[in-house]
Amino acid sequence: YSCEELHGVQEAGSDKCFFVPDKTATWQGGEEDCASYGGHLASITSAGENDVVYGLYVSSGARDRTGAMFIGTSDNEEMIGGTTEGKWAWSDGSESSFGSWSPGEPNDWGSGQDCGVMWKDGKSWDDQ
């Protein structure tokens, strides 16, 4: 699939294509949806990519339907092999020191928040 066929967007100079699937109820479901197109949930490795992903979230209309959108980071070994609780990794194996966590996040509230999301009201991330 081409990025154009998926109605996706790319940051200038990047080979990554970001698109919003029709529906995704779980982090694992989102990863499976993306895998069916040969990709992964979004790995966001720069402020520019964070802007692109948030812009797509808004322009796709998904922001109007949901409180948050899954992104491709997790600290659950069952979701991303080789990671452990508190060690966040990207599902596509990207390495980056960039993060846009909301203040106090990730906090594993209730001892079960292992999936990264981008909040509806801004470009900040949370663990859910």
Side-chain angles (χ1 to χ4, degrees), residues 97-117:
S97 60
F98 176 78
S100 190
W101 296 103
S102 295
E105 302 295 346
N107 64 5
D108 198 33
W109 188 83
S111 191
Q113 295 186 320
D114 298 313
C115 305
V117 297

Side-chain angles (χ1 to χ4, degrees), residues 17-78:
C17 174
F18 298 105
F19 76 100
V20 177
D22 292 332
K23 58 179 175 32
T24 299
T26 65
W27 190 96
Q28 296 93 332
E31 183 68 9
E32 290 170 7
D33 284 348
C34 293
S36 73
Y37 294 100
H40 294 273
L41 284 167
S43 60
I44 302 172
T45 59
S46 70
E49 287 182 353
N50 203 52
D51 290 344
V52 167
V53 171
Y54 185 71
L56 181 60
Y57 182 37
V58 172
S59 67
S60 71
R63 189 182 83 161
D64 297 331
R65 298 186 306 269
T66 64
M69 177 176 70
F70 291 111
I71 57 176
T73 190
S74 175
D75 69 345
N76 184 306
E77 186 172 19
E78 291 180 22

